[in-house]
Amino acid sequence: MACKREDRFRRNTIAFWLSDEEKSQVEAKIILSGVSKGEYYRKAVLGQEVTVIAGNYMSIRVAKVLEQILVHLQNGNTEEEGLLLELVKQLLEVNKNAPAGNKGIHE
């Protein structure tokens, strides 16, 4: 059972509205960041840097995201089309900004 609000370290809730496109962009960044939604939002709101670092850990994250995309595509889940598109964009951006030794496979 969750603890009482007054027993929490963080007791305050902040809510805001996003467009579908903005929500997809934020969710894609959260998935690739590897941090919880709460941590991601706190860092973003407080102006702290949230980075996605390329390397072995990032390769594992990318593989998991690609698996999620594949499952959604195989299931014909078009409701999350915006999120899937944004994830692919973010993956390409991560690859583009990766150090030279960590760049992906090129045809």
Side-chain angles (χ1 to χ4, degrees):
M1 185 164 147
C3 64
K4 295 179 182 177
R5 179 181 212 128
E6 57 271 6
D7 294 338
R8 290 178 152 289
F9 171 71
R10 294 183 176 100
R11 317 183 172 142
N12 303 295
T13 301
I14 297 176
F16 54 93
W17 294 92
L18 298 171
S19 69
D20 290 342
E21 183 179 328
E22 290 169 331
K23 182 181 179 210
S24 293
Q25 290 174 1
V26 171
E27 286 180 348
K29 289 181 180 196
I30 290 170
I31 290 169
L32 289 173
S33 73
V35 299
S36 68
K37 280 186 178 185
E39 182 178 351
Y40 183 90
Y41 287 130
R42 279 189 296 277
K43 285 184 174 188
V45 169
L46 297 173
Q48 299 171 353
E49 188 172 357
V50 181
T51 57
V52 177
I53 301 170
N56 189 37
Y57 172 74
M58 191 59 215
S59 297
I60 294 167
R61 294 286 309 155
V62 168
K64 288 184 179 189
V65 170
L66 288 172
E67 286 173 7
Q68 289 176 348
I69 291 171
L70 180 60
V71 167
H72 284 289
L73 292 173
Q74 287 173 333
N75 293 336
N77 189 348
T78 57
E79 289 178 14
E80 296 187 20
E81 202 171 89
L83 175 60
L84 297 177
L85 179 61
E86 194 56 44
L87 281 168
V88 171
K89 286 180 186 177
Q90 293 294 325
L91 287 171
L92 292 172
E93 189 66 28
V94 166
N95 186 53
K96 185 170 72 173
N97 294 328
N102 291 332
K103 293 266 178 171
I105 300 170
H106 300 282
E107 292 185 36

